[in-house]
Amino acid sequence: MTATQKFRPVDEQLTVLRKGAAEIIPEEELRAKLERSRVSSTPLRVKLGVDPTAPDLHLGHTVVLRKLKHFQDEGHTAIFLVGDFTAMVGDPTGQSETRPPLTREQVQANAQTYLEQVYKLLDRERTEVRYNSEWLGGLSGIEIVRLCGHYRLARMLEREDFRSRLANNQAISVHELLYPLFQAYDSVALKADVELGATEQKFNLLVGRDIQREYGQQWQVALTMPILVGTDGQRKMSKSLGNYVGITESPTQMFGKIMSISDELMWSYYDLLTDFAPPVIVRVKEEVRTGVLHPMDAKMQLAHNIIAGFHGEEAARKASEEFRRVFRERESPSQMTEYRVRRVSDGNAFLHKKVGDIIESTVPWSLPPTGKEKWARLLVSLGEIASKSEADRLMKQRGLEINDATVTDVSSEIDFNKPSTFTVRVGKKNFFRLIIEQA
């Protein structure tokens, strides 16, 4: 194999690497690095650092992960850096107040689940997994002081998060000032050629360039990816906001959530969450615009492609069929969450929750003295609705169906005194079955 045969031509690589990117800083430097890599047959070292602050990943996290995969597919070294040390410091990016650091136990537990989910995208055998406690945990006091001496405080306070907090007289802890420097030192320790991150990480990535120069290294290229908007079409995807699609959720759940996004938002998902080439996306968009392809079908193609990447082609096909059956033919799903209330004595019962063939939980259940309860209150108790006011609003808007009958009366009750079976639709997409049994 000759030196120029290991990697594809630079222009071809750049076509893939540019796709969906917000900024490449600077792009001419990335081109030069790719040229040198191709001539020397030496892969670039491409770093993505993630602090394991929560146990589960959603599609928003995968935007930048997919870019790391693109570099890996082009033959470069994908470095997935677990920020086990920095997670215990707390990243101030995007925070209006000091973020509480995690314990070592929380970080280790989250890191393990992260990796299993990351390998749904990255090649396990070709991914270099590192932990920044390897080098940050061993820094001496004098080494940390020297690291701090390589960056000016005035520049650190230029970042938007800090400026905003200073303007609002909100506290900034000293350890938060260290975070960008620690992230930058990761690039030094790993000799990174490229660092990836979301657009909100731009400041930290550029600090990495400066610190590498101070330590006598070639500057890394900073490549940022847009932040994925959640299913609500307004805010960044976040589990806490409830507008997320988890990559470990069932294919049916993922399919339904993706189908709920607006037609306009669909194109951002095509760009950031699929490997369709830009000309293909342009063609699909034109087919929708001209009426050749219905927006619903374009969205189903998107959902199928995303789910196949995480759960396989067969699972995506079944989820697609289920969606057609439930939402186009308006039938209830073949599998749905089942709640079974088994009464054992006056006022006492057991609630069994079953998802598919798996019984998820069995808990004691207190019945009202009369044996009757308002549906709105029951929906909240089961966790199907966040609050009674939301349940009332849903009912008034004709969003609750019980055994195919729309229920709009917020005072409607369920009677636990007699055996019954109810198929319940909450909103457009959520179905469950409730079975009442007597002792």
Short mmCIF file of all heavy atoms in Angstrom, two decimals, residues 238-295:
data_model
loop_
_atom_site.label_atom_id
_atom_site.label_comp_id
_atom_site.label_asym_id
_atom_site.label_seq_id
_atom_site.Cartn_x
_atom_site.Cartn_y
_atom_site.Cartn_z
N SER A 238 -33.24 18.07 25.62
CA SER A 238 -32.82 17.87 27.01
C SER A 238 -33.81 16.95 27.70
O SER A 238 -35.02 17.10 27.55
CB SER A 238 -32.76 19.23 27.74
OG SER A 238 -32.63 19.03 29.14
N LYS A 239 -33.27 16.03 28.46
CA LYS A 239 -34.14 15.11 29.20
C LYS A 239 -34.98 15.87 30.22
O LYS A 239 -36.15 15.57 30.44
CB LYS A 239 -33.31 14.02 29.88
CG LYS A 239 -34.14 12.86 30.41
CD LYS A 239 -33.27 11.67 30.78
CE LYS A 239 -34.14 10.48 31.17
NZ LYS A 239 -33.32 9.30 31.51
N SER A 240 -34.38 16.88 30.85
CA SER A 240 -35.09 17.64 31.88
C SER A 240 -36.25 18.44 31.30
O SER A 240 -37.21 18.74 32.00
CB SER A 240 -34.13 18.58 32.61
OG SER A 240 -33.60 19.55 31.72
N LEU A 241 -36.17 18.76 30.00
CA LEU A 241 -37.25 19.51 29.35
C LEU A 241 -38.30 18.59 28.74
O LEU A 241 -39.34 19.05 28.27
CB LEU A 241 -36.68 20.43 28.26
CG LEU A 241 -35.75 21.55 28.74
CD1 LEU A 241 -35.16 22.29 27.55
CD2 LEU A 241 -36.49 22.52 29.66
N GLY A 242 -38.02 17.29 28.75
CA GLY A 242 -38.97 16.33 28.22
C GLY A 242 -39.10 16.32 26.71
O GLY A 242 -40.00 15.69 26.16
N ASN A 243 -38.19 16.99 26.00
CA ASN A 243 -38.28 17.09 24.53
C ASN A 243 -37.20 16.26 23.85
O ASN A 243 -36.66 16.63 22.81
CB ASN A 243 -38.17 18.55 24.09
CG ASN A 243 -36.82 19.17 24.46
OD1 ASN A 243 -36.00 18.55 25.14
ND2 ASN A 243 -36.58 20.38 24.00
N TYR A 244 -36.89 15.12 24.44
CA TYR A 244 -35.75 14.32 23.99
C TYR A 244 -36.21 13.00 23.36
O TYR A 244 -37.34 12.54 23.55
CB TYR A 244 -34.82 14.01 25.17
CG TYR A 244 -35.41 13.01 26.14
CD1 TYR A 244 -35.01 11.68 26.13
CD2 TYR A 244 -36.39 13.40 27.06
CE1 TYR A 244 -35.57 10.76 27.00
CE2 TYR A 244 -36.94 12.49 27.94
CZ TYR A 244 -36.53 11.17 27.91
OH TYR A 244 -37.11 10.26 28.77
N VAL A 245 -35.29 12.40 22.60
CA VAL A 245 -35.48 11.05 22.08
C VAL A 245 -34.28 10.26 22.57
O VAL A 245 -33.15 10.47 22.11
CB VAL A 245 -35.54 11.03 20.54
CG1 VAL A 245 -35.77 9.60 20.05
CG2 VAL A 245 -36.63 11.96 20.02
N GLY A 246 -34.48 9.37 23.51
CA GLY A 246 -33.38 8.58 24.08
C GLY A 246 -32.97 7.46 23.14
O GLY A 246 -33.82 6.81 22.53
N ILE A 247 -31.67 7.21 23.04
CA ILE A 247 -31.22 6.18 22.10
C ILE A 247 -31.41 4.78 22.65
O ILE A 247 -31.29 3.80 21.91
CB ILE A 247 -29.75 6.40 21.67
CG1 ILE A 247 -28.78 6.14 22.82
CG2 ILE A 247 -29.56 7.79 21.09
CD1 ILE A 247 -27.34 6.15 22.37
N THR A 248 -31.73 4.65 23.95
CA THR A 248 -32.01 3.32 24.51
C THR A 248 -33.52 3.10 24.64
O THR A 248 -33.94 2.05 25.12
CB THR A 248 -31.35 3.16 25.89
OG1 THR A 248 -31.81 4.18 26.77
CG2 THR A 248 -29.84 3.23 25.79
N GLU A 249 -34.32 4.06 24.23
CA GLU A 249 -35.76 3.85 24.24
C GLU A 249 -36.13 2.81 23.18
O GLU A 249 -35.37 2.52 22.26
CB GLU A 249 -36.48 5.17 23.95
CG GLU A 249 -36.36 6.20 25.06
CD GLU A 249 -37.20 7.43 24.80
OE1 GLU A 249 -36.79 8.26 23.96
OE2 GLU A 249 -38.25 7.57 25.43
N SER A 250 -37.32 2.25 23.32
CA SER A 250 -37.76 1.23 22.36
C SER A 250 -37.89 1.86 20.98
O SER A 250 -38.14 3.07 20.85
CB SER A 250 -39.09 0.64 22.80
OG SER A 250 -40.14 1.58 22.60
N PRO A 251 -37.74 1.03 19.93
CA PRO A 251 -37.91 1.57 18.57
C PRO A 251 -39.26 2.24 18.37
O PRO A 251 -39.35 3.28 17.70
CB PRO A 251 -37.76 0.33 17.69
CG PRO A 251 -36.87 -0.58 18.48
CD PRO A 251 -37.27 -0.36 19.91
N THR A 252 -40.31 1.69 18.97
CA THR A 252 -41.65 2.28 18.82
C THR A 252 -41.71 3.66 19.46
O THR A 252 -42.28 4.60 18.88
CB THR A 252 -42.70 1.35 19.46
OG1 THR A 252 -42.66 0.07 18.82
CG2 THR A 252 -44.10 1.94 19.31
N GLN A 253 -41.12 3.79 20.67
CA GLN A 253 -41.09 5.10 21.33
C GLN A 253 -40.30 6.11 20.51
O GLN A 253 -40.72 7.25 20.32
CB GLN A 253 -40.48 4.97 22.73
CG GLN A 253 -41.36 4.31 23.76
CD GLN A 253 -40.63 4.18 25.08
OE1 GLN A 253 -39.58 3.54 25.19
NE2 GLN A 253 -41.18 4.79 26.12
N MET A 254 -39.13 5.70 20.04
CA MET A 254 -38.29 6.60 19.25
C MET A 254 -39.03 7.03 17.98
O MET A 254 -39.02 8.22 17.62
CB MET A 254 -36.97 5.91 18.88
CG MET A 254 -36.02 5.68 20.04
SD MET A 254 -34.45 4.94 19.51
CE MET A 254 -33.69 6.31 18.61
N PHE A 255 -39.68 6.07 17.33
CA PHE A 255 -40.37 6.38 16.07
C PHE A 255 -41.47 7.42 16.31
O PHE A 255 -41.58 8.41 15.59
CB PHE A 255 -40.97 5.10 15.48
CG PHE A 255 -41.15 5.16 13.99
CD1 PHE A 255 -40.24 4.56 13.14
CD2 PHE A 255 -42.24 5.81 13.43
CE1 PHE A 255 -40.39 4.61 11.77
CE2 PHE A 255 -42.41 5.87 12.06
CZ PHE A 255 -41.49 5.27 11.22
N GLY A 256 -42.26 7.19 17.35
CA GLY A 256 -43.35 8.11 17.64
C GLY A 256 -42.86 9.51 17.96
O GLY A 256 -43.45 10.51 17.51
N LYS A 257 -41.77 9.61 18.72
CA LYS A 257 -41.23 10.92 19.09
C LYS A 257 -40.68 11.66 17.86
O LYS A 257 -40.88 12.87 17.70
CB LYS A 257 -40.15 10.78 20.15
CG LYS A 257 -40.67 10.42 21.54
CD LYS A 257 -39.55 10.43 22.56
CE LYS A 257 -40.06 10.17 23.98
NZ LYS A 257 -38.98 10.26 24.98
N ILE A 258 -39.98 10.93 17.01
CA ILE A 258 -39.43 11.57 15.81
C ILE A 258 -40.55 12.04 14.90
O ILE A 258 -40.49 13.13 14.30
CB ILE A 258 -38.47 10.61 15.07
CG1 ILE A 258 -37.23 10.33 15.94
CG2 ILE A 258 -38.03 11.21 13.74
CD1 ILE A 258 -36.36 9.20 15.42
N MET A 259 -41.61 11.25 14.80
CA MET A 259 -42.74 11.63 13.95
C MET A 259 -43.49 12.84 14.49
O MET A 259 -44.26 13.48 13.76
CB MET A 259 -43.70 10.45 13.78
CG MET A 259 -43.13 9.29 12.99
SD MET A 259 -42.59 9.73 11.33
CE MET A 259 -44.16 10.19 10.59
N SER A 260 -43.25 13.18 15.75
CA SER A 260 -43.96 14.32 16.35
C SER A 260 -43.32 15.66 16.02
O SER A 260 -43.91 16.71 16.27
CB SER A 260 -44.02 14.16 17.88
OG SER A 260 -42.75 14.43 18.48
N ILE A 261 -42.10 15.65 15.46
CA ILE A 261 -41.43 16.92 15.18
C ILE A 261 -42.10 17.62 13.99
O ILE A 261 -42.78 16.99 13.18
CB ILE A 261 -39.92 16.74 14.91
CG1 ILE A 261 -39.69 15.97 13.61
CG2 ILE A 261 -39.24 16.06 16.09
CD1 ILE A 261 -38.22 15.86 13.21
N SER A 262 -41.89 18.91 13.89
CA SER A 262 -42.50 19.68 12.81
C SER A 262 -41.84 19.35 11.47
O SER A 262 -40.70 18.86 11.42
CB SER A 262 -42.37 21.18 13.08
OG SER A 262 -41.01 21.58 12.99
N ASP A 263 -42.56 19.63 10.40
CA ASP A 263 -42.00 19.38 9.07
C ASP A 263 -40.74 20.22 8.84
O ASP A 263 -39.78 19.77 8.21
CB ASP A 263 -43.03 19.72 7.99
CG ASP A 263 -44.23 18.77 8.01
OD1 ASP A 263 -44.15 17.73 8.70
OD2 ASP A 263 -45.23 19.06 7.34
N GLU A 264 -40.74 21.44 9.36
CA GLU A 264 -39.58 22.32 9.19
C GLU A 264 -38.36 21.78 9.93
O GLU A 264 -37.23 21.79 9.41
CB GLU A 264 -39.93 23.72 9.70
CG GLU A 264 -38.80 24.73 9.52
CD GLU A 264 -39.16 26.12 10.03
OE1 GLU A 264 -40.32 26.29 10.48
OE2 GLU A 264 -38.30 27.00 10.00
N LEU A 265 -38.56 21.29 11.16
CA LEU A 265 -37.44 20.78 11.96
C LEU A 265 -36.87 19.49 11.37
O LEU A 265 -35.71 19.17 11.58
CB LEU A 265 -37.92 20.54 13.39
CG LEU A 265 -36.88 20.08 14.42
CD1 LEU A 265 -35.74 21.10 14.53
CD2 LEU A 265 -37.54 19.86 15.78
N MET A 266 -37.70 18.78 10.62
CA MET A 266 -37.27 17.51 10.03
C MET A 266 -35.97 17.64 9.26
O MET A 266 -35.12 16.75 9.30
CB MET A 266 -38.39 17.00 9.13
CG MET A 266 -38.00 15.88 8.19
SD MET A 266 -39.42 15.18 7.31
CE MET A 266 -40.02 16.59 6.38
N TRP A 267 -35.77 18.76 8.55
CA TRP A 267 -34.58 18.88 7.70
C TRP A 267 -33.30 19.02 8.52
O TRP A 267 -32.24 18.56 8.11
CB TRP A 267 -34.76 20.05 6.73
CG TRP A 267 -36.01 19.88 5.93
CD1 TRP A 267 -37.13 20.68 5.94
CD2 TRP A 267 -36.33 18.80 5.05
NE1 TRP A 267 -38.09 20.17 5.11
CE2 TRP A 267 -37.64 19.01 4.56
CE3 TRP A 267 -35.63 17.66 4.64
CZ2 TRP A 267 -38.25 18.13 3.67
CZ3 TRP A 267 -36.24 16.78 3.75
CH2 TRP A 267 -37.54 17.02 3.28
N SER A 268 -33.40 19.64 9.68
CA SER A 268 -32.24 19.71 10.57
C SER A 268 -31.88 18.31 11.05
O SER A 268 -30.69 17.96 11.14
CB SER A 268 -32.56 20.62 11.76
OG SER A 268 -31.54 20.54 12.74
N TYR A 269 -32.88 17.50 11.36
CA TYR A 269 -32.63 16.12 11.79
C TYR A 269 -32.01 15.30 10.65
O TYR A 269 -31.12 14.48 10.88
CB TYR A 269 -33.93 15.47 12.27
CG TYR A 269 -34.33 15.83 13.68
CD1 TYR A 269 -34.20 17.13 14.16
CD2 TYR A 269 -34.83 14.87 14.55
CE1 TYR A 269 -34.57 17.46 15.46
CE2 TYR A 269 -35.21 15.18 15.86
CZ TYR A 269 -35.08 16.49 16.30
OH TYR A 269 -35.44 16.81 17.60
N TYR A 270 -32.48 15.51 9.43
CA TYR A 270 -31.89 14.84 8.28
C TYR A 270 -30.40 15.16 8.19
O TYR A 270 -29.55 14.29 7.94
CB TYR A 270 -32.58 15.28 6.99
CG TYR A 270 -33.59 14.30 6.43
CD1 TYR A 270 -34.95 14.51 6.59
CD2 TYR A 270 -33.18 13.18 5.72
CE1 TYR A 270 -35.88 13.62 6.06
CE2 TYR A 270 -34.10 12.28 5.20
CZ TYR A 270 -35.45 12.50 5.37
OH TYR A 270 -36.36 11.61 4.86
N ASP A 271 -30.08 16.43 8.39
CA ASP A 271 -28.71 16.90 8.23
C ASP A 271 -27.79 16.39 9.34
O ASP A 271 -26.65 15.99 9.08
CB ASP A 271 -28.70 18.43 8.20
CG ASP A 271 -27.42 19.00 7.62
OD1 ASP A 271 -26.82 18.35 6.73
OD2 ASP A 271 -27.02 20.09 8.03
N LEU A 272 -28.29 16.41 10.58
CA LEU A 272 -27.43 16.14 11.74
C LEU A 272 -27.48 14.71 12.24
O LEU A 272 -26.59 14.29 12.99
CB LEU A 272 -27.81 17.09 12.89
CG LEU A 272 -27.65 18.59 12.60
CD1 LEU A 272 -28.15 19.41 13.78
CD2 LEU A 272 -26.21 18.93 12.28
N LEU A 273 -28.51 13.95 11.87
CA LEU A 273 -28.69 12.62 12.47
C LEU A 273 -28.67 11.49 11.45
O LEU A 273 -28.94 10.33 11.81
CB LEU A 273 -30.02 12.58 13.24
CG LEU A 273 -30.15 13.56 14.41
CD1 LEU A 273 -31.55 13.50 15.00
CD2 LEU A 273 -29.11 13.28 15.49
N THR A 274 -28.37 11.79 10.19
CA THR A 274 -28.28 10.74 9.18
C THR A 274 -27.00 10.92 8.37
O THR A 274 -26.36 11.97 8.42
CB THR A 274 -29.47 10.76 8.19
OG1 THR A 274 -29.29 11.83 7.25
CG2 THR A 274 -30.80 10.93 8.93
N ASP A 275 -26.67 9.88 7.61
CA ASP A 275 -25.51 9.95 6.73
C ASP A 275 -25.92 10.20 5.29
O ASP A 275 -25.11 10.01 4.36
CB ASP A 275 -24.70 8.65 6.83
CG ASP A 275 -23.91 8.57 8.13
OD1 ASP A 275 -23.59 9.62 8.70
OD2 ASP A 275 -23.61 7.43 8.57
N PHE A 276 -27.16 10.62 5.07
CA PHE A 276 -27.56 10.99 3.72
C PHE A 276 -26.68 12.14 3.24
O PHE A 276 -26.49 13.13 3.96
CB PHE A 276 -29.02 11.43 3.67
CG PHE A 276 -30.01 10.30 3.86
CD1 PHE A 276 -30.93 10.34 4.88
CD2 PHE A 276 -30.01 9.21 3.01
CE1 PHE A 276 -31.84 9.31 5.07
CE2 PHE A 276 -30.91 8.17 3.18
CZ PHE A 276 -31.83 8.22 4.21
N ALA A 277 -26.17 12.03 2.04
CA ALA A 277 -25.33 13.10 1.47
C ALA A 277 -26.19 14.34 1.21
O ALA A 277 -27.39 14.22 0.95
CB ALA A 277 -24.68 12.62 0.17
N PRO A 278 -25.59 15.53 1.29
CA PRO A 278 -26.35 16.77 1.05
C PRO A 278 -27.19 16.76 -0.22
O PRO A 278 -28.35 17.19 -0.19
CB PRO A 278 -25.27 17.85 1.03
CG PRO A 278 -24.20 17.31 1.94
CD PRO A 278 -24.20 15.83 1.69
N PRO A 279 -26.68 16.25 -1.38
CA PRO A 279 -27.52 16.24 -2.59
C PRO A 279 -28.78 15.38 -2.42
O PRO A 279 -29.83 15.70 -2.99
CB PRO A 279 -26.58 15.65 -3.66
CG PRO A 279 -25.21 15.94 -3.16
CD PRO A 279 -25.30 15.81 -1.67
N VAL A 280 -28.67 14.30 -1.64
CA VAL A 280 -29.83 13.44 -1.41
C VAL A 280 -30.88 14.18 -0.58
O VAL A 280 -32.08 14.13 -0.88
CB VAL A 280 -29.41 12.14 -0.68
CG1 VAL A 280 -30.64 11.31 -0.32
CG2 VAL A 280 -28.46 11.32 -1.56
N ILE A 281 -30.43 14.90 0.44
CA ILE A 281 -31.36 15.66 1.29
C ILE A 281 -32.03 16.76 0.49
O ILE A 281 -33.24 16.99 0.62
CB ILE A 281 -30.61 16.24 2.52
CG1 ILE A 281 -30.05 15.10 3.37
CG2 ILE A 281 -31.56 17.11 3.35
CD1 ILE A 281 -29.17 15.57 4.52
N VAL A 282 -31.26 17.41 -0.38
CA VAL A 282 -31.82 18.46 -1.24
C VAL A 282 -32.91 17.86 -2.14
O VAL A 282 -33.97 18.47 -2.34
CB VAL A 282 -30.71 19.12 -2.08
CG1 VAL A 282 -31.32 20.01 -3.16
CG2 VAL A 282 -29.79 19.93 -1.19
N ARG A 283 -32.65 16.67 -2.67
CA ARG A 283 -33.63 16.04 -3.57
C ARG A 283 -34.92 15.68 -2.83
O ARG A 283 -36.02 15.93 -3.33
CB ARG A 283 -33.03 14.79 -4.21
CG ARG A 283 -33.96 14.17 -5.27
CD ARG A 283 -33.37 12.94 -5.92
NE ARG A 283 -33.37 11.80 -5.01
CZ ARG A 283 -32.29 11.19 -4.57
NH1 ARG A 283 -31.09 11.60 -4.95
NH2 ARG A 283 -32.39 10.17 -3.75
N VAL A 284 -34.77 15.11 -1.62
CA VAL A 284 -35.95 14.75 -0.82
C VAL A 284 -36.75 16.01 -0.48
O VAL A 284 -37.99 16.02 -0.56
CB VAL A 284 -35.54 14.00 0.46
CG1 VAL A 284 -36.75 13.77 1.37
CG2 VAL A 284 -34.87 12.67 0.14
N LYS A 285 -36.04 17.06 -0.12
CA LYS A 285 -36.70 18.32 0.22
C LYS A 285 -37.48 18.88 -0.97
O LYS A 285 -38.60 19.38 -0.83
CB LYS A 285 -35.65 19.33 0.70
CG LYS A 285 -36.19 20.50 1.49
CD LYS A 285 -35.05 21.30 2.11
CE LYS A 285 -35.58 22.40 3.01
NZ LYS A 285 -34.47 23.14 3.68
N GLU A 286 -36.89 18.77 -2.16
CA GLU A 286 -37.56 19.26 -3.36
C GLU A 286 -38.78 18.41 -3.69
O GLU A 286 -39.82 18.93 -4.13
CB GLU A 286 -36.56 19.24 -4.54
CG GLU A 286 -37.12 19.74 -5.86
CD GLU A 286 -37.54 21.21 -5.81
OE1 GLU A 286 -37.14 21.94 -4.87
OE2 GLU A 286 -38.27 21.64 -6.74
N GLU A 287 -38.68 17.10 -3.46
CA GLU A 287 -39.83 16.22 -3.71
C GLU A 287 -40.98 16.56 -2.78
O GLU A 287 -42.15 16.51 -3.19
CB GLU A 287 -39.40 14.76 -3.53
CG GLU A 287 -38.51 14.24 -4.64
CD GLU A 287 -38.04 12.81 -4.40
OE1 GLU A 287 -38.32 12.27 -3.31
OE2 GLU A 287 -37.40 12.24 -5.30
N VAL A 288 -40.67 16.93 -1.55
CA VAL A 288 -41.72 17.34 -0.61
C VAL A 288 -42.32 18.67 -1.06
O VAL A 288 -43.54 18.86 -1.06
CB VAL A 288 -41.16 17.45 0.83
CG1 VAL A 288 -42.17 18.12 1.76
CG2 VAL A 288 -40.80 16.06 1.36
N ARG A 289 -41.46 19.62 -1.46
CA ARG A 289 -41.93 20.94 -1.86
C ARG A 289 -42.86 20.87 -3.06
O ARG A 289 -43.86 21.60 -3.14
CB ARG A 289 -40.73 21.84 -2.20
CG ARG A 289 -41.10 23.30 -2.44
CD ARG A 289 -39.92 24.11 -2.98
NE ARG A 289 -39.57 23.69 -4.33
CZ ARG A 289 -40.20 24.09 -5.42
NH1 ARG A 289 -41.25 24.90 -5.33
NH2 ARG A 289 -39.81 23.67 -6.62
N THR A 290 -42.55 19.97 -4.00
CA THR A 290 -43.34 19.88 -5.23
C THR A 290 -44.52 18.92 -5.11
O THR A 290 -45.27 18.75 -6.08
CB THR A 290 -42.44 19.44 -6.39
OG1 THR A 290 -41.82 18.18 -6.06
CG2 THR A 290 -41.36 20.48 -6.67
N GLY A 291 -44.65 18.27 -3.96
CA GLY A 291 -45.78 17.36 -3.76
C GLY A 291 -45.55 15.95 -4.24
O GLY A 291 -46.46 15.11 -4.17
N VAL A 292 -44.37 15.65 -4.75
CA VAL A 292 -44.06 14.29 -5.19
C VAL A 292 -44.03 13.34 -3.99
O VAL A 292 -44.44 12.18 -4.07
CB VAL A 292 -42.71 14.25 -5.94
CG1 VAL A 292 -42.31 12.81 -6.27
CG2 VAL A 292 -42.78 15.09 -7.20
N LEU A 293 -43.54 13.84 -2.86
CA LEU A 293 -43.43 13.06 -1.63
C LEU A 293 -44.16 13.79 -0.51
O LEU A 293 -43.96 14.99 -0.31
CB LEU A 293 -41.95 12.88 -1.26
CG LEU A 293 -41.62 12.03 -0.03
CD1 LEU A 293 -41.99 10.57 -0.29
CD2 LEU A 293 -40.13 12.13 0.30
N HIS A 294 -45.00 13.06 0.22
CA HIS A 294 -45.73 13.67 1.33
C HIS A 294 -44.77 13.89 2.50
O HIS A 294 -43.90 13.04 2.76
CB HIS A 294 -46.88 12.75 1.77
CG HIS A 294 -47.87 13.42 2.68
ND1 HIS A 294 -47.62 13.61 4.04
CD2 HIS A 294 -49.09 13.97 2.43
CE1 HIS A 294 -48.66 14.24 4.57
NE2 HIS A 294 -49.56 14.46 3.63
N PRO A 295 -44.89 15.02 3.23
CA PRO A 295 -44.00 15.25 4.39
C PRO A 295 -44.02 14.10 5.40
O PRO A 295 -42.98 13.78 5.99
CB PRO A 295 -44.57 16.53 5.00
CG PRO A 295 -45.24 17.23 3.88
CD PRO A 295 -45.80 16.15 3.00
#
